[in-house]
Amino acid sequence: MATKVFPNNVSLVVLISGDGSNLQAIIDAINNDQLEAEVKAVISNRSTAHGLKRAVKANIPTHVIDHKDYPTREAFDQAMIQIIDPLQPDLIILAGFMRILSEHFINHYQHRLINVHPSLLPKYKGLNTHQQAIDNKDSIHGSSVHFVSHELDSGPVVIQAEIAVLKTDSAKDLAAKVLNVEHKIYPLAIKMFAQKRISFDGKQIQLDNKPLKKPLRWKNDKLTEIN
Ligand code: GAR
């Protein structure tokens, strides 16, 4: 049988803390040949994270590194680095990873550390983003895929997805709608990185060798703006 050649194959390590539905979307995109990537390992800081089961089912090696076993944030991050570095991933993917990372970790993986955050950044950094959108009577909410910088939930945004907020929506409804678009934009952003269409030099994202002036926008199931 002919061997498949993957010119745009990127290797990933995915960090999770919970359900791992974004991890699943990445696994599905790879299995459906929409994304040329390999998940080398999944690391969770919680042994009960459902995402670990998803990884095992997909034959991906898993590691539990419980932050409670380490005296400092730096020591916890160093334990992750010891797992990640030998794998030499092209990208480290934060997918519902609910720990603040140390400066050392962020520096160590600068240019190749990305996150998905459930808001239209710079709006609503931190937690409870869906409730904040409701409390502020926003009509549009969404999610952002961004490179990670030192400030929490900051760093240049690659793609933002918008969802409409209905007056009847609860925070739970918004969380479900946001996850639904995240499952599209996160694999897409990784794909653009794999295709070398997107890169990050620590300050500026480049798209097709030109500075990305504003985030790509995902609306009604497609990218609506490119630079
Ligand atoms: C996602 O909505 C993600 O944006 C959010 O947690 C959820 C994880 O879902 N991340 C953050 O809030 C990080 N600041 P998942 O475990 O099903 O992928």
Side-chain angles (χ1 to χ4, degrees), residues 7-224:
N8 297 320
N9 204 36
V10 281
S11 59
L12 315 174
V13 168
V14 183
L15 273 51
I16 62 167
S17 299
D19 185 42
S21 69
N22 277 290
L23 165 68
Q24 188 67 55
I26 293 165
I27 294 170
D28 291 346
I30 294 170
N31 289 342
N32 297 333
D33 291 335
Q34 287 159 0
L35 174 62
E36 292 175 13
E38 181 191 358
V39 183
K40 295 243 175 171
V42 169
I43 300 176
S44 173
N45 65 312
R46 290 182 54 231
S47 62
T48 53
H50 178 63
L52 289 168
K53 293 201 176 108
R54 298 180 188 270
V56 168
K57 204 168 163 200
N59 291 319
I60 298 167
T62 58
H63 303 267
V64 175
I65 304 179
D66 190 332
H67 57 279
K68 295 194 291 301
D69 292 341
Y70 295 86
T72 61
R73 190 179 299 286
E74 285 70 23
F76 167 67
D77 285 2
Q78 193 55 43
M80 289 199 292
I81 288 173
Q82 267 159 18
I83 300 286
I84 297 169
D85 271 0
L87 301 171
Q88 299 188 304
D90 298 304
L91 277 180
I92 292 93
I93 308 285
L94 307 178
F97 183 68
M98 304 307 277
R99 300 291 305 165
I100 293 174
L101 293 163
S102 63
E103 203 174 316
H104 173 64
F105 188 95
I106 293 170
N107 285 340
H108 195 74
Y109 296 117
Q110 62 175 336
H111 311 178
R112 54 189 176 125
L113 181 58
I114 61 173
N115 182 39
V116 66
H117 180 76
S119 77
L120 294 173
L121 291 171
K123 265 190 165 180
Y124 313 141
K125 297 172 183 174
L127 300 174
N128 302 321
T129 59
H130 310 305
Q131 192 57 50
Q132 291 188 68
I134 290 172
D135 293 346
N136 288 324
K137 302 193 170 28
D138 291 352
S139 56
I140 304 284
H141 181 49
S143 179
S144 308
V145 174
H146 66 97
F147 283 94
V148 173
S149 66
H150 290 293
E151 228 185 292
L152 179 68
D153 296 327
S154 296
V157 177
V158 182
I159 305 182
Q160 285 189 320
E162 290 183 2
I163 56 141
V165 182
L166 306 180
K167 288 203 169 63
T168 49
D169 278 338
S170 64
K172 212 171 150 198
D173 295 331
L174 290 188
K177 286 194 209 177
V178 162
L179 279 172
N180 186 40
V181 288
E182 288 181 339
H183 298 163
K184 292 171 183 156
I185 62 170
Y186 216 4
L188 179 60
I190 298 166
K191 180 180 182 168
M192 293 177 91
F193 186 93
Q195 293 171 325
K196 301 196 170 39
R197 294 192 61 199
I198 279 178
S199 64
F200 179 53
D201 62 9
K203 286 191 181 125
Q204 174 73 57
I205 296 173
Q206 302 282 332
L207 170 68
D208 298 335
N209 298 316
K210 280 181 247 136
L212 181 67
K213 294 188 193 112
K214 48 184 180 179
L216 303 175
R217 196 150 284 270
W218 178 269
K219 209 174 158 183
N220 301 329
D221 248 15
K222 54 180 189 293
L223 277 184
T224 58

